[in-house]
Amino acid sequence: MSDKKKKLLPAVFLMMSTVAIAQQPGVGTVSIIPRIGVSLANLPGDDIYTDEGTTPLSPRYKAGFLGGVDVDWQFMPNLSVMLGAHYVQQGCRYENNSFESDVSGNVVSGSGYSNWSTQLQYINMPLMLNAYIGPGFALKAGVQVGFALSGEMKYDEMGYRKDKDNNITYEEPVSRKISLDKTMRSVVFSIPVGVSYEYSNVILDARYNIGLNGFQDIKDYKSSRNSVFTLSAAYRFEL
């Protein structure tokens, strides 16, 4: 390598480092960061059996709302710590399904299920460490405490009767709701990890929250853990 290139490389690295630091607030800066976004939540393993011997309904990801605010402290040039309070809709959904429950002579009775979902609402408080690895780019990880607000399982059920000629008569659909408030853990824990990009005080943030304990507290029952992706947009107000 020529002497000219050897002298140039340190200057380039210094310039890149200076640009990266310039994208973050100065050391000691405290910021308020309101955010809004969406959640994509699931409860892996929380299968539902509509009748004995039938194929279980498996949980799938469900979209929800996220909104809240963070307080961020830039304690080193490329490191900050952030504490947030977010309202988040979590839970899961299930595919439509049906089963035949009774056969009397030439008539078959059954039920169909649709719009089945578990709706969970939390106030989540993540404590995150942000490590800036380039201009505006940060890797983040931390711990999160979630406080349960409410939980509900709901679905639509419609009975039907089918005769020997396959003529089907449907009953009026019934909407059913089951409160989960008494079985939900009041506090759940998770590990959030993610990335963010900031430009002109606008922050785009993507995270995955790994649940550490079950969302329900039922004796002799192993509850599913929350599995949640979030995508949010935020704006930094420096104090």
Side-chain angles (χ1 to χ4, degrees), residues 80-121:
S80 76
V81 63
M82 180 185 293
L83 176 64
H86 307 154
Y87 165 76
V88 186
Q89 295 175 340
Q90 300 179 188
C92 65
R93 65 178 180 85
Y94 300 89
E95 285 192 341
N96 298 341
N97 200 355
S98 64
F99 73 94
E100 296 178 350
S101 59
D102 183 45
V103 179
S104 301
N106 294 320
V107 177
V108 176
S109 298
S111 296
Y113 298 92
S114 60
N115 302 319
W116 200 320
S117 65
T118 297
Q119 310 278 350
L120 308 178
Q121 300 183 71

Side-chain angles (χ1 to χ4, degrees), residues 2-229:
S2 65
D3 291 340
K4 185 176 181 181
K5 289 184 178 180
K6 289 181 180 179
K7 294 179 180 179
L8 183 60
L9 284 175
V12 172
F13 288 133
L14 178 61
M15 182 177 66
M16 291 176 62
S17 176
T18 302
V19 171
I21 294 174
Q23 300 298 315
Q24 287 77 251
V27 174
T29 300
V30 176
S31 304
I32 300 295
I33 305 176
R35 71 177 62 248
I36 189 171
V38 296
S39 61
L40 195 61
N42 200 354
L43 295 168
D46 199 33
D47 294 347
I48 292 177
Y49 290 84
T50 55
D51 193 44
E52 185 177 353
T54 61
T55 302
L57 303 182
S58 297
R60 298 177 178 273
Y61 279 95
K62 179 185 74 68
F65 172 79
L66 176 153
V69 64
D70 299 273
V71 177
D72 183 64
W73 175 44
Q74 192 78 29
F75 66 93
M76 291 182 64
N78 286 324
L79 290 174
S80 76
V81 63
M82 180 185 293
L83 176 64
H86 307 154
Y87 165 76
V88 186
Q89 295 175 340
Q90 300 179 188
C92 65
R93 65 178 180 85
Y94 300 89
E95 285 192 341
N96 298 341
N97 200 355
S98 64
F99 73 94
E100 296 178 350
S101 59
D102 183 45
V103 179
S104 301
N106 294 320
V107 177
V108 176
S109 298
S111 296
Y113 298 92
S114 60
N115 302 319
W116 200 320
S117 65
T118 297
Q119 310 278 350
L120 308 178
Q121 300 183 71
Y122 288 93
I123 294 294
N124 291 333
M125 298 190 67
L127 179 64
M128 308 289 292
L129 179 67
N130 301 315
Y132 290 92
I133 59 173
F137 284 99
L139 300 179
K140 51 188 66 209
V143 295
Q144 178 174 279
V145 180
F147 299 95
L149 298 178
S150 66
E152 182 181 69
M153 179 179 289
K154 60 182 184 179
Y155 59 91
D156 296 329
E157 181 180 3
M158 183 170 62
Y160 66 89
R161 294 169 64 86
K162 182 169 59 176
D163 63 23
K164 63 179 181 179
D165 297 321
N166 284 328
N167 296 316
I168 302 177
T169 303
Y170 294 99
E171 300 175 0
E172 286 292 326
V174 178
S175 295
R176 303 191 185 278
K177 296 182 180 181
I178 304 171
S179 175
L180 304 178
D181 291 352
K182 292 183 178 180
T183 65
M184 289 181 67
R185 293 185 188 273
S186 57
V187 179
V188 292
F189 301 93
S190 60
I191 300 293
V193 293
V195 296
S196 66
Y197 176 70
E198 180 174 355
Y199 182 77
S200 296
N201 287 15
V202 175
I203 305 170
L204 296 179
D205 184 294
R207 302 182 192 180
Y208 175 56
N209 298 286
I210 307 166
L212 297 180
N213 59 337
F215 82 99
Q216 288 180 296
D217 186 10
I218 303 175
K219 186 177 180 180
D220 299 326
Y221 173 71
K222 186 178 181 180
S223 173
S224 299
R225 303 175 183 180
N226 287 297
S227 174
V228 187
F229 291 95

